[in-house]
Structure formats: structure tokens, C-alpha cells
Amino acid sequence: LRARVGLLESAGKGTVVLEEIGDLPPRIQASLLRVLEEKMIRPLGSTQSRPLHCRIVATSSATLETLVESGRLRNDLMYRLNAAVVTIPSLASRKGDIAHLARHFVAGTRCHLAPDLLKALLRHTWPGNVRQLKNLMEQILMHSPGRQILGPSDIPQEHRHLFGVSDPTHPQKVPASGARPSPGERRRRILQLAIDRGAIYPKDLYSIFPVARSILSGDLASLKREGKLRRRKHSHAYEPA
């Protein structure tokens, strides 16, 4: 076998981020521990070890001690990872960051956030932290194509109760009875998102539209056939044609 260049080696002198370290299978945790201890890696198919140059950062939504107690993390790996710990406060405890982050997530579009929308965002507890806020802003953009000023009524109907929003001022923007958008409407929103963001990835759509991934792939293919989207070269992204 020819030696393969793996993730850690391909990072060179950069940084590898391992999200939710407690979700790694025990076998991978054992391999990671050995790499951290020896600062060496052995590529698949090779009999020679090579020095590791990258920096490894592990993230977790729970403390490492909690992961160990629940059996999700090796005790010896915890001590290796505990060399330098950075604790990021929850979004709920950083209310002052919510408006800045929300504006950041719509940057690059033609949209502006109304003061009433920013006030509504402050009412939520954000158990999903920054990722939940990012996902919400993407949904708002998808539900409000063509709008330049986004307000509380642009929050998807199924989420409005979380923000104390009622009596929407733009009911025409929400499908009747909470129904899913038609295929044509869904494709129009996908196209608008691509225009606003410059490009979209299929994975960006999975958390926004409650339909099967195969359907969303079909929507992208249809927009491509119609000449409205094109596949970016050497990428999974789609951009306006």
C-alpha cells in the first residue's frame, strides 16, 4: 500500500479542530491520545512514523469532567486535553453579542435588521448558542426573499412563540396554516439565498427546509438545468449563473 496523507498530516503547521470530542469513538480516542503523547503519526499503509506539526483544538458543549463521568471520554485523554482550556460563555450570558452576531450573519446581503427584531432576539434563551442564532438568521433570509428590512414578523412562524412575537404584520410572507412551501416557492427561496450569499452548499439547506435531502438535491439540479444556478468549479457550492 502507498502511504496516504491523513487529516493531521495535511494540516501541516496549521490547526485541526475536533468538534464535540466526546462523540469520538473509543478507538479514535485511543489513537488521538497516542498522537498527543508521541507527537508522531503513522500514515495508513506506512511502516514509518512522521513528526506531527499541527496544533489540535478539541471542543465540547459539556465540560471534560462531565464527559469522563458519563463514560464518553477517556480519563487519560482528558488530562492531555486539559493542558489549556478556553471556556466560552453561553450566548444567553452574552446578550450584548446577539445583535452583533445577527448582523454578521446577514452581512453580504442587502438586508438590514429592524430594532424590533433585535429586541425579539434578546428574549430567547438560546440553548443552541451561536449555531442556533446562525441557523435562525439563515431561515429568516430564506423566508423573506427580496426584503431589505427584516422585522419580527420575518421569524419563521413555528419559532415566533420563542421570541414573544405574535400578530405578524406581514402574514403574506408565511404559508397558510404553517404549510410547507410548494416546490416552486422552495426553489425560489433557494435561488434568493444563493444570490444574497454569493453561493450556497447543499448542507446549508438541510437545516432550513424540512424535506428529504434528495428533494433538495433535486431542487438544486432543477435550478441548474434552468440556467439559474451553476456548480462552482472544484467545489460542492452552487452560485448564481
Side-chain angles (χ1 to χ4, degrees), residues 7-87:
L7 174 65
L8 298 181
E9 186 177 7
S10 64
K13 296 183 179 180
T15 301
V16 175
V17 179
L18 304 176
E19 294 191 2
E20 293 300 335
I21 188 68
D23 292 339
L24 285 181
R27 179 178 61 84
I28 302 299
Q29 290 190 26
S31 298
L32 177 61
L33 176 63
R34 184 172 61 254
V35 168
L36 294 175
E37 289 180 337
E38 300 176 359
K39 302 295 191 297
M40 302 286 288
I41 55 175
R42 187 170 63 190
L44 181 65
S46 174
T47 59
Q48 301 294 322
S49 295
R50 302 175 186 175
L52 177 69
H53 300 293
C54 71
R55 175 175 54 185
I56 297 178
V57 176
T59 70
S60 174
S61 55
T63 65
L64 298 183
E65 292 78 9
T66 300
L67 294 178
V68 170
E69 292 174 359
S70 63
R72 296 173 56 197
L73 183 69
R74 291 173 59 112
N75 191 58
D76 45 7
L77 181 55
M78 179 194 72
Y79 289 118
R80 278 292 174 183
L81 295 173
N82 251 341
V85 177
V86 177
T87 301

Side-chain angles (χ1 to χ4, degrees), residues 5-241:
V5 177
L7 174 65
L8 298 181
E9 186 177 7
S10 64
K13 296 183 179 180
T15 301
V16 175
V17 179
L18 304 176
E19 294 191 2
E20 293 300 335
I21 188 68
D23 292 339
L24 285 181
R27 179 178 61 84
I28 302 299
Q29 290 190 26
S31 298
L32 177 61
L33 176 63
R34 184 172 61 254
V35 168
L36 294 175
E37 289 180 337
E38 300 176 359
K39 302 295 191 297
M40 302 286 288
I41 55 175
R42 187 170 63 190
L44 181 65
S46 174
T47 59
Q48 301 294 322
S49 295
R50 302 175 186 175
L52 177 69
H53 300 293
C54 71
R55 175 175 54 185
I56 297 178
V57 176
T59 70
S60 174
S61 55
T63 65
L64 298 183
E65 292 78 9
T66 300
L67 294 178
V68 170
E69 292 174 359
S70 63
R72 296 173 56 197
L73 183 69
R74 291 173 59 112
N75 191 58
D76 45 7
L77 181 55
M78 179 194 72
Y79 289 118
R80 278 292 174 183
L81 295 173
N82 251 341
V85 177
V86 177
T87 301
I88 301 177
S90 66
L91 187 58
S93 64
R94 297 183 286 134
K95 293 286 189 180
D97 291 345
I98 292 177
H100 298 295
L101 288 168
R103 293 190 184 100
H104 170 72
F105 293 139
V106 300
T109 72
R110 296 185 296 273
C111 299
H112 299 277
L113 308 183
D116 286 350
L117 174 58
L118 296 176
K119 290 180 181 178
L121 297 180
L122 293 175
R123 300 189 191 111
H124 192 37
T125 56
W126 300 107
N129 291 298
V130 177
R131 285 183 177 177
Q132 184 184 8
L133 176 58
K134 181 176 185 291
N135 182 55
L136 176 71
M137 299 313 299
E138 289 178 346
Q139 291 187 57
I140 289 176
L141 289 173
M142 292 295 295
H143 280 77
S144 310
R147 289 177 58 76
Q148 294 186 346
I149 304 297
L150 301 175
S153 61
D154 293 306
I155 296 175
Q157 190 174 36
E158 63 271 22
H159 300 314
R160 288 178 185 159
H161 67 284
L162 300 173
F163 302 90
V165 176
S166 59
D167 187 25
T169 56
H170 301 285
Q172 70 276 13
K173 295 295 179 181
V174 180
S177 304
R180 294 179 179 178
S182 65
E185 174 66 13
R186 187 176 59 246
R187 290 169 191 162
R188 185 172 68 84
R189 294 178 183 176
I190 291 174
L191 178 60
Q192 185 62 47
L193 182 60
I195 293 173
D196 289 338
R197 299 178 63 174
I200 52 172
Y201 289 82
K203 65 180 182 180
D204 295 336
L205 308 177
Y206 298 156
S207 61
I208 298 175
F209 294 101
V211 296
R213 296 186 178 189
S214 59
I215 294 178
L216 293 173
S217 297
D219 290 337
L220 291 170
S222 295
L223 290 169
K224 182 181 177 183
R225 285 195 302 270
E226 294 169 4
K228 297 176 180 177
L229 290 180
R230 64 187 176 196
R231 185 78 171 268
R232 181 175 288 176
K233 192 175 182 180
H234 305 308
S235 173
H236 295 295
Y238 288 81
E239 58 188 8

